[in-house]
Amino acid sequence: MAGKKQFDMDTVLDAAMIQFWRSGYADTSLDDLSRATGLNRSSIYSSLGDKDALFLRCLDRYATRYGAKYDAALSCAAEDPVAAVRAFFDVTLGRIADPAVPDGCLMAQSVMASPALSPGVAERVKELFGLQCPRLSTALKAGGMSDESAEDFAVHIAAVNQSLAVMGRAGSSPEQLRAIVDVTVDALARALRPAG
């Protein structure tokens, strides 16, 4: 039928997300998005909105996709918080090793680009980035850690998690990244060990 949109929205959004992830918001042009998605500029505007609107959809898509994986990894925290945190890191290490996606972390990259973003987009980036600490803190509290210790470890684990993405992008080996994880997980295990 003439005039009917003939594209799969999930495929288009994934392609746009990968483009933003690979090049960053500022260095991704509408022409880049057109090439990546196979849509012309007018189709992008009519179907997906302007660059900011599309970027927000891609950020939400990324946060939902990996957030669900992190939540699944942490779901056993009440029974075994150490295993849950290791599984949490495994999500990141798996993403870093995945040849189908760019290096690094779209969320961390977007936080670093906040000065170049519109205020509304920058605020959404900050909100999405901020989901990691509460996710971790809730899991650690479920695993028996005190509120204060859980908050402190959540910030530390989130910081280490982001550093893995940066170090992976800079060329650190899988063995080096795993060693970083091991140090953090060992520290958590010691903190959870009963006194005496």
Side-chain angles (χ1 to χ4, degrees):
M1 182 182 286
K4 186 173 167 77
K5 295 180 178 81
Q6 298 292 321
F7 62 86
D8 179 74
M9 185 62 79
D10 287 333
T11 301
V12 166
L13 288 173
D14 277 345
M17 181 180 72
I18 294 293
Q19 178 60 48
F20 281 124
W21 191 349
R22 182 177 294 114
S23 301
Y25 175 87
D27 290 333
T28 295
S29 68
L30 280 173
D31 287 338
D32 294 329
L33 291 167
S34 180
R35 280 189 293 276
T37 63
L39 300 177
N40 62 38
R41 292 166 70 110
S42 64
S43 292
I44 290 173
Y45 276 116
S46 65
S47 302
L48 303 167
D50 64 10
K51 183 178 169 182
D52 277 4
L54 178 53
F55 185 57
L56 287 171
R57 289 180 74 168
C58 291
L59 285 174
D60 285 342
R61 189 173 189 81
Y62 181 93
T64 299
R65 179 172 296 165
Y66 289 103
K69 292 180 181 187
Y70 287 129
D71 288 339
L74 293 171
S75 65
C76 69
E79 298 81 36
D80 191 344
V82 174
V85 169
R86 187 171 292 283
F88 172 88
F89 282 126
D90 285 344
V91 171
T92 299
L93 294 175
R95 188 189 70 225
I96 291 168
D98 185 352
V101 298
D103 292 335
C105 169
L106 176 60
M107 206 58 62
Q109 177 180 310
S110 300
V111 167
M112 296 300 293
S114 288
L117 303 175
S118 70
V121 173
E123 185 58 33
R124 184 66 179 146
V125 167
K126 185 178 175 184
E127 287 172 22
L128 291 172
F129 190 76
L131 295 176
Q132 208 69 301
C133 285
R135 170 183 283 131
L136 287 160
S137 178
T138 298
L140 293 171
K141 289 174 189 175
M145 189 169 263
S146 71
D147 287 359
E148 184 178 350
S149 293
E151 299 290 338
D152 291 344
F153 261 97
V155 171
H156 178 78
I157 292 166
V160 170
N161 196 51
Q162 291 305 324
S163 76
L164 294 173
V166 173
M167 293 184 75
R169 194 169 205 171
S172 294
S173 70
E175 294 76 21
Q176 289 169 320
L177 299 177
R178 178 62 66 185
I180 294 166
V181 168
D182 288 346
V183 169
T184 301
V185 172
D186 289 348
L188 176 64
R190 284 193 305 275
L192 286 165
R193 197 172 296 139

